Each structure stands twice: as C-alpha cells, then as structure tokens.
C-alpha cells in the first residue's frame, strides 16, 4: 500500500496543471467525483470487473484510479456484517452503485477517432473546465495509484495532504491530525467528540453517553484507491434501556473525512426518553488566533483567544438550519477546516444547534489537553418525525481560504463536483 500511495503522490500536485485545454481550480485539489450506476444505463447489469476508467494523456488512453462501491438499502456502502440488504446484485453495476474518481485525474477530451488499445468506450464523463474521464468496458489496464493509505490495525491514515491517527479500538478518539505545510505545533485538534443525552421518563433525570461509553465496534471495512470505509456499530443504552443501535460509516478521502450515521428509533423509546440530543464536535488544540465563521457570521468571525466574551456568546447563540449549517475554522497557520452536516430531505426540519466553546480552562471529556480551543460542531435536538435518524458530518481539510471570502469558499469547497455523462463521439 505504501509504494502505491507514493506513486499517487507523484501525480497528486502536478495534476493541478493543465492537460491540453483541461483546466482545474486551486480548490479542485483532493475533490472526488461521485457518480451512480443510474448514470450509465447502457452498461447496467454488466460485471463491475469488466469496467474501468481512463483518460487521454499524450495522445493515448491511460488508466486512472477509480472505485466502484456497492450500496445497501439505506444508501450506505454494503457490508455483509451490517445485516442490511444490498441494493442490487453483487458484482454487477446497479443503479445504486457508486463510482468514484479523483477530479484532478481527468484529462482533455478525446478526438473522435481515438480509441483505447483494448475494449470500448461506453461513456464520456465531462468535469471541471473541458476535462474528461472515459468509462471503458473490456480493458484490462488498471492504475496502481492509491490516494488514501489507511492501516486499520494501528489507526493510522496517510494521504498527500494530511495525517490522521485514531485509537484502533475506538474510531471516535482522534489522537493526532497533521496537515502538509501547517505552521503550528503538535496536533491541530485534540479529538473528535460524540455525545448523546436524554431525560429518562422526565427531562430532569438526564443521562449522557460520550466517546468512552459509545465505543463503536467495527463490523466491516473496505480499503480502496479513492476512499477507505469502516462500518461501525454501537448499541445505545441509557439507564439500562436499550434505546437504539447506531450504524456509522467512517470514510477517509484524500482531503476530507465523512461520518455517515444511521439509526432506527422505536416508538417505545420516543415516549420514554425526553428532550434527546445528539452532539458531534471537533475540539481544537491550542488554536489561539484562529478565526471561526458561519453563514450568519461570514463577514464578522470570532477569534479564538481562550476567553469567553460577549462576541463568543452571540456567536454560540446564533441559529442554524439544515439548509445552511457550515462552520469554517481558519487557523491562519496554513490550515483550515470546513464542517458541514447533511440530512435526507425528510429530515431537513430537524432542529440543529451550533456548539461553540472558546475557553482555555474548561475541560470537557474526552480530551487529551485541557481547554476548548475551540470546540465546535453540531447538536441535533429532539427526535425526528421519521423513525429513522440519518445524517452525515463532513470535515474538509485545506491550507487556508485561498484568498476567497468565507461564504464563497465554504460553498465551493463542500459542493458536489458537477459532471455530465454522454455517449462517446462516433467516428
């Protein structure tokens, strides 16, 4: 894995240059193109191992790194241990399957007369500015590049841009985050925090669980060239009451991290547990001088100083919505972190609250270093109307804001990569 990663690193930064008339923006570094099987009806039902992705380079087709992931009935990557049903047939391209590529691996458009040495082109995928991928059937060439090196056993992740270490037995406990070119000392963050709380029969008899109690157990993992996926399961028990089972998929990409959460909430526990809350936050490590923005404070960020003041209180008390909930942290030391929460349409009205703490003396377990400098993230309030709770928290890593205004940066950095699929040009 290490050798293949280094081969990918050699391509990663130069890929920002121009391939013919194919051009990329600075923020395209590390972005992933995500397509679904329904984008390719002409090869639906075909064996996945007969399909691959190529680009044009120096007048010929060459293979690029790609990844097909088969999904389950809940839109998560399928694992046998999850006990969820696969959405489609194993080993065949189905409508629900996902195809992933690194955006900056695209190349110029192929001339109408150009063909791969083996196999046939079944789709032209246009991205960025005049850039293209080609889905090919029947070509045995494969890229050996990997953009994520993730050692499940020791909890270490390496990409061209960041290094992440977590406790091997508890994915929630982050131990170290470093970023290429970061000008600060030590780990950028203290840890990731997840907390669940509710009143048992009454909102006054409140119970809480955190990283130590939840301790998700791994039930499956997948190590691909574009992303690594771990499927984790944790049983939530409050006051001896088994409330629900939470399924989490932790996904590592070349320049960001995603946590997809799914839980089914029985009606019985809706009545038993009062004012439930699920909180997910990132605790910074001594990020004095950093600035924090949101959509409501895009032009008037707060500055981390370790002291609670009126500006911090106004910032912490602002309202968020599922429609616009990004939080942008700029260390001003060559690292920025953008967080965003997404939910299915039926959960868009679920109340969400900002969590923001800037206090050098406050200790909120679990943590390695005393102080919330800063601790920022989200709190989901109450039970959603549907019986299923689903949400995704995405963490995007970058070197800064690239001279952009906070709102424009947040929108562009977190947006899905646009693409257009068409049939290949004929001679």
């Amino acid at each position: 894995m290490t050798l293949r990663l280094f081969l990918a690193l050699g391509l990663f930064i130069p890929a920002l240059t121009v391939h013919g008339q194919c051009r990329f923006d600075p923020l395209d570094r590390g972005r992933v193109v995500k397509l679904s099987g329904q984008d390719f009806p002409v090869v639906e039902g075909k064996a996945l191992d007969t399909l691959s992705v190529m680009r044009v380079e120096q007048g010929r087709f060459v293979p690029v790194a790609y990844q097909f992931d088969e999904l389950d009935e809940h839109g998560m990557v399928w694992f046998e241990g999850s006990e969820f049903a696969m959405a489609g047939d194993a080993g065949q391209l189905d409508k629900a399957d996902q195809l992933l590529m690194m955006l900056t691996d695209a190349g110029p458009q192929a001339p109408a007369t150009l063909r791969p040495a083996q196999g046939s082109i079944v789709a032209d995928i246009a991205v960025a500015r005049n850039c293209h991928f080609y889905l090919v059937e029947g070509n045995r060439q494969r890229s050996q590049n990997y953009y994520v090196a993730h050692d499940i056993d020791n909890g270490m992740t390496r990409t061209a841009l960041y290094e992440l270490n977590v406790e091997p037995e508890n994915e929630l406990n982050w131990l170290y985050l470093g970023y290429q070119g970061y000008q600060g000392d030590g780990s950028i963050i203290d840890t990731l925090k997840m907390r669940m709380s509710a009143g048992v029969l009454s909102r006054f008899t409140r119970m809480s669980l955190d990283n130590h109690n939840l301790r998700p157990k791994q039930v499956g993992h997948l190590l691909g060239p574009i992303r690594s996926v771990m499927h984790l399961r944790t049983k939530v028990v409050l006051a001896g009451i088994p409330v629900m089972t939470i399924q989490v998929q932790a996904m590592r990409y070349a320049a960001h991290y995603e946590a997809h959460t799914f839980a089914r909430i029985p009606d019985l526990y809706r009545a038993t547990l009062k004012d439930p809350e699920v909180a997910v936050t990132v605790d910074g490590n001594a990020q004095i001088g950093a600035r924090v923005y949101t959509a409501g404070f895009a032009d008037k960020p707060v500055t981390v100083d370790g002291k609670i003041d009126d500006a911090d209180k106004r910032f912490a008390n602002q309202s968020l919505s599922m429609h616009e909930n990004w939080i942008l942290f700029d260390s001003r030391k060559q690292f920025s972190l953008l967080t965003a929460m997404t939910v299915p349409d039926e959960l868009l009205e679920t109340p969400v609250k900002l969590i923001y703490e800037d206090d050098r003396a406050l200790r909120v377990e679990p943590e390695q270093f005393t102080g919330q400098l800063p601790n920022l993230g989200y709190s989901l309030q109450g039970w959603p109307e549907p019986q299923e709770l689903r949400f995704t928290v995405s963490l995007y890593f970058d070197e800064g804001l690239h001279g952009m205004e906070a709102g424009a940066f947040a929108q562009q950095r977190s947006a899905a990569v646009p693409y257009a699929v068409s049939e290949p040009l004929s001679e």
Side-chain angles (χ1 to χ4, degrees):
M1 177 69 76
T2 301
L3 176 60
R4 288 188 288 180
L5 175 66
F6 283 145
L7 289 172
L9 301 194
L11 297 173
F12 197 75
I13 304 303
L16 293 178
T17 59
V18 178
H19 298 299
Q21 296 303 310
C22 168
R23 296 177 180 271
F24 302 102
D25 294 326
L27 262 63
D28 287 339
R29 182 173 64 168
R31 297 181 74 194
V32 174
V33 184
K34 295 183 181 181
L35 302 97
S36 68
Q38 66 183 2
D39 291 314
F40 309 107
V42 68
V43 286
E44 185 177 346
K46 296 283 188 177
L48 292 175
D49 60 9
T50 66
L51 302 173
S52 61
V53 180
M54 308 187 85
R55 74 167 180 228
V56 173
E57 183 179 314
Q58 297 180 347
R60 62 190 180 94
F61 281 98
V62 299
V64 301
Y66 71 94
Q67 184 169 339
F68 277 113
D69 284 341
E70 299 181 275
L71 303 191
D72 64 30
E73 58 188 316
H74 301 297
M76 306 175 85
V77 177
W78 180 81
F79 290 96
E80 184 174 3
S82 71
E83 301 176 358
F84 295 153
M86 180 182 289
D89 297 318
Q92 297 181 4
L93 183 65
D94 301 298
K95 288 184 172 65
D97 293 343
Q98 282 191 338
L99 171 61
L100 313 174
M101 296 92 71
M102 296 300 302
L103 174 58
T104 52
D105 270 347
Q109 186 172 26
T113 56
L114 187 65
R115 293 289 182 267
Q118 183 184 40
S120 59
I121 302 170
V122 296
D124 178 339
I125 306 164
V127 296
R129 290 180 285 175
N130 302 315
C131 303
H132 296 259
F133 292 103
Y134 294 90
L135 183 65
V136 177
E137 183 181 10
N139 190 295
R140 290 194 296 269
Q141 287 184 285
R142 296 292 186 269
S143 169
Q144 296 302 305
N145 295 328
Y146 269 62
Y147 289 98
V148 180
H150 179 198
D151 190 321
I152 300 288
D153 294 331
N154 64 22
M156 298 174 63
T157 303
R158 303 290 184 274
T159 79
L161 295 174
Y162 71 89
E163 175 182 345
L164 172 64
N165 298 336
V166 307
E167 282 188 9
E169 301 303 320
N170 192 339
E171 175 72 10
L172 296 175
N173 289 340
W174 288 21
L175 304 175
Y176 177 86
L177 175 66
Y179 191 84
Q180 182 188 56
Y182 173 60
Q183 299 299 306
D185 298 322
S187 176
I188 297 170
I189 70 164
D190 184 340
T191 193
L192 185 71
K193 299 182 180 182
M194 186 171 186
R195 187 177 301 274
M196 300 189 65
S197 63
V200 181
L201 299 178
S202 164
R203 61 189 178 90
F204 300 108
T205 54
R206 201 160 188 84
M207 304 285 292
S208 294
L209 301 175
D210 60 20
N211 293 21
H212 298 310
N213 310 112
L214 294 171
R215 300 191 67 82
K217 303 298 182 184
Q218 182 190 150
V219 297
H221 69 268
L222 179 157
L223 304 177
I226 308 299
R227 70 180 174 191
S228 161
V229 184
M230 295 176 63
H231 190 107
L232 308 160
R233 179 187 294 140
T234 186
K235 295 185 182 297
V236 179
V237 179
L238 287 169
I241 302 172
V243 179
M244 56 182 159
T245 298
I246 298 179
Q247 314 271 356
V248 177
Q249 289 197 343
M251 300 183 179
R252 291 157 166 81
Y253 296 82
H256 78 282
Y257 178 101
E258 293 177 358
H260 298 250
T261 300
F262 171 87
R264 185 173 285 112
I265 308 163
D267 287 335
L268 171 63
Y269 303 128
R270 287 171 174 266
T272 303
L273 301 177
K274 308 299 182 181
D275 296 338
E277 178 181 2
V278 179
V280 180
T281 62
V282 178
D283 185 5
N285 176 30
Q287 294 295 320
I288 300 296
R291 290 175 178 166
V292 184
Y293 306 77
T294 63
F297 285 73
D299 57 352
K300 46 183 182 297
V302 291
T303 300
V304 179
D305 59 8
K307 298 177 291 185
I308 303 172
D309 56 27
D310 290 341
D312 290 338
K313 293 176 181 177
R314 287 192 296 270
F315 188 83
N317 289 329
Q318 67 179 285
S319 59
L320 292 183
S321 74
M322 286 298 183
H323 300 275
E324 198 167 36
N325 58 51
W326 58 265
I327 308 169
L328 176 58
F329 164 87
D330 180 12
S331 70
R332 303 166 71 189
K333 299 175 183 176
Q334 301 299 303
F335 174 78
S336 64
L337 168 66
L338 173 68
T339 74
M341 177 180 284
T342 54
V343 297
D345 289 346
E346 61 269 24
L347 296 180
L348 283 174
E349 301 309 315
T350 302
V352 58
K353 180 182 177 183
L354 174 72
I355 296 176
Y356 179 76
E357 296 170 319
D358 176 15
D359 187 336
R360 70 172 68 245
L362 180 62
R363 188 170 184 85
V364 180
E365 293 291 347
E367 61 184 13
Q368 303 178 81
F369 315 107
T370 298
Q372 314 303 300
L373 294 171
N375 186 33
L376 54 86
Y378 307 98
S379 170
L380 293 174
Q381 309 277 307
W383 296 126
E385 285 302 320
Q387 283 195 323
E388 295 178 352
L389 174 65
R390 288 185 288 165
F391 64 91
T392 298
V393 175
S394 301
L395 309 177
Y396 301 93
F397 311 134
D398 214 311
E399 64 189 32
L401 306 192
H402 297 270
M404 302 175 65
E405 294 183 352
F409 174 86
Q411 182 176 11
Q412 185 173 336
R413 186 67 183 84
S414 61
V417 176
Y419 63 86
V421 178
S422 62
E423 294 182 1
L425 296 174
S426 57
E427 295 187 37

